[in-house]
Every structure is written in structure tokens, then in C-alpha cells.
Amino acid sequence: MPPTACPPRTLVLGGARSGKSAFAEELLSDAPAVRYLATAILDPADHDFADRIAVHRNRRPAHWSTVENTEPATVLATEAPATLLDDIGTWLTTRLDARQAWDAPRGTVTPDCDALVEAVEAYGQRLVIVSPEVGMGVIPATRSGRLFRDEIGTLNQRLAQACDEAYLIVAGLPVRLK
């Protein structure tokens, strides 16, 4: 008997307000059950961000389960029928904060990124990952902006290698990269 193919792991990249999350959700619209892994930490004082989170919550089907967790590698150790991980940018920001890495040497969050990539590679069910593509704009004027851009760019490359397919969303339109 031939080996069973691993369900695809898909990376969905895009800029702010590109439609990447909606596209990722659409990829799983036919799945009977989806675990939505949300990496954002809600700050009730940040009304704009709270509104963004509410839009995402309201758009998700009622039968999807939501796990709010900033440790996706740990969550991915437990398989579910399908998982949507949204988003890597908020996770990376949380890791940079946790390691006090904003002024530390580049690579301070590498152990966290290694664990995430390993968890993605080992995950045996359908997985869709959303991540921002920030390297197409201007060079950030601040060290923290350049650090984030560099770290997310390196991590996106690694995730793209670990995934079976990748898309770039531009103006709501998907461009298949892999």
C-alpha cells in the first residue's frame, strides 16, 4: 500500500489589509472542523486592535474552535483536523517582547523560530499559516522596525520551505508562489 500523503501545509503572505486572513479562511471553508490559532494578545485599551480582532472573530464560522495562544509550536504538538494559524507577525512581536530582543543582537528569537518551524514540519494535518510580507516597502527608519522586518523575512523564508504551497495576496488577489 502506498504511503498516505501528508495534508498540505500552506503559507499565506500579504501586506496589511491585503486580504490574507480572509483568503486563508477560505482555504479551509470546506473543512468539517477547524482549530483557529490566534496569536494576538488583546489589549482592551487599544480599541483599534480590538476592532480588528472582532472583525476576524465575527467572520469565522461558528463551528470553528478558537485557541488564543502565543505559543503555536506547543499547540501544534496536538493535532486537530485542520488548523489555521493567524498570524506570525503578532507572534513574532510577542516573542521579541518576551526575550527583550528589540535592542538585542539579531537572532535572539532564533530558538523560538526554530521551534515553530520544527512544529510546522512535524504537523500531520491540514495547516494554513498567515504571515505579513513586510519586505517590499521602504526601509524602516528605526532599529526596531528593521529588526522586525529582517526577522519576519527570515522566518517567512523558512516557513515557505517547510510548507507545501505558498501564496502572496496582493489587493485581495492570490498569487500562487509554490
Side-chain angles (χ1 to χ4, degrees), residues 74-99:
T74 302
V75 176
L76 291 176
T78 304
E79 293 190 358
T83 298
L84 194 162
L85 170 52
D86 194 357
D87 110 329
I88 298 301
T90 53
W91 171 80
L92 180 60
T93 300
T94 301
R95 298 313 310 147
L96 288 163
D97 287 344
R99 289 196 178 265

Side-chain angles (χ1 to χ4, degrees), residues 101-177:
W102 294 106
D103 293 315
R106 295 225 182 331
T108 300
V109 294
T110 297
D112 301 301
C113 296
D114 290 347
L116 177 61
V117 172
E118 289 169 12
V120 168
E121 290 172 338
Y123 195 72
Q125 298 297 320
R126 182 75 170 104
L127 176 62
V128 178
I129 303 167
V130 177
S131 189
E133 176 53 63
V134 299
M136 300 169 112
V138 298
I139 296 172
T142 63
R143 183 190 190 288
S144 60
R146 290 187 300 274
L147 173 71
F148 180 82
R149 182 207 50 201
D150 293 350
E151 294 287 356
I152 196 76
T154 300
L155 181 54
N156 282 345
Q157 289 182 53
R158 294 182 67 199
L159 289 170
Q161 289 301 312
C163 287
D164 305 296
E165 58 185 6
Y167 291 89
L168 175 64
I169 311 303
V170 180
L173 301 173
V175 178
R176 187 180 177 116
L177 304 173

